[in-house]
Amino acid sequence: SEPTLENEKHQQEGEYFHRLAQQYWIGIPPEQVAKLANTPNLQRWWENFLAHPDFRSLKDFGSLLPEATLSAPLGQFRLLAKYDLIAIENDKVTIYDWKTYRKRPRNEFLAARMQTRVYRALLVHAGAHLNNNVPFEPEQIEMVYWFSDFPNDPARFAYTSTQYKRDWDTLLKLSDEIKTALRHSLQSQDNASSYPLTDDRTKCMFCPY
């Protein structure tokens, strides 16, 4: 419902903020990073980030992995995820994800979100090399969404073995559905007929294709 250019600008600022956070976690002095916060939104988000007590205490964590990438086989495909930050301390591992939403989503929405399910499940499935080749137990994992415009109201999601089994089974089922859909698409004589055009041209304004 927002003007296209304004929406794109906000998305671009969100990408820039992720770069600022990455530079902070790899050890670049915050006063140097702050010079890149050159819009009102970025300045506000960056000030909120630096003021948050949880992030100051993270500097003392045993291991911080900004922009970490994990992948694992999933059926006939490969599942890959890029994490904003993985923080490991003794027997606990926390996944942090920065969000620059204009509105703070409900926790129920975030809990059901595929990102929440994939990031935690993949860390269990493929994160052993981050833990001396010992797989993380689901109960060791917590995922935290931090909202740049709502800095004191993060969303936290613990994990359990039951949730992990449910999530990985769901992902395997999805991979089978994708495989089936691809096979049917290849067998189709007229693939274009499977994708009817929308009558609502306003949707095309946000289409990445």
Side-chain angles (χ1 to χ4, degrees), residues 5-23:
L5 292 179
E6 181 63 26
N7 184 65
E8 290 181 351
K9 179 184 177 183
H10 191 88
Q11 290 182 340
Q12 189 175 56
E13 287 179 319
E15 293 175 3
Y16 288 160
F17 175 76
H18 280 70
R19 295 179 191 173
L20 300 183
Q22 179 192 17
Q23 293 181 41

Side-chain angles (χ1 to χ4, degrees), residues 14 17 39-40 91 93 104 110 118 124 140 142 145 163 168 171 179 195:
F17 175 76
T39 71
D91 61 347
V93 55
R104 204 290 199 183
L110 294 168
V118 168
V124 174
Q140 294 178 262
E142 181 182 41
Y145 288 105
Q163 289 174 313
W168 200 257
L171 292 170
K179 179 180 67 176
Y195 302 96

Side-chain angles (χ1 to χ4, degrees), residues 99-177:
K99 294 299 183 190
T100 56
Y101 294 149
R102 290 183 174 90
K103 295 182 179 179
R104 204 290 199 183
R106 293 180 296 108
N107 281 6
E108 293 82 0
F109 166 80
L110 294 168
R113 201 166 185 262
M114 190 57 70
Q115 182 184 9
T116 309
R117 301 176 68 178
V118 168
Y119 277 35
R120 294 180 302 177
L122 188 58
L123 184 56
V124 174
H125 202 81
H129 68 285
L130 305 177
N131 191 37
N132 296 317
N133 292 320
V134 178
F136 290 110
E137 295 294 332
E139 285 74 14
Q140 294 178 262
I141 294 173
E142 181 182 41
M143 183 163 182
V144 178
Y145 288 105
W146 183 79
F147 307 97
S148 56
D149 268 326
F150 310 92
N152 298 318
D153 190 19
R156 298 179 175 273
F157 299 99
Y159 209 34
T160 67
S161 297
T162 301
Q163 289 174 313
Y164 167 66
K165 184 180 185 308
R166 175 207 64 188
D167 290 342
W168 200 257
D169 287 347
T170 298
L171 292 170
L172 287 171
K173 182 181 178 182
L174 287 173
S175 73
D176 287 340
E177 292 176 1

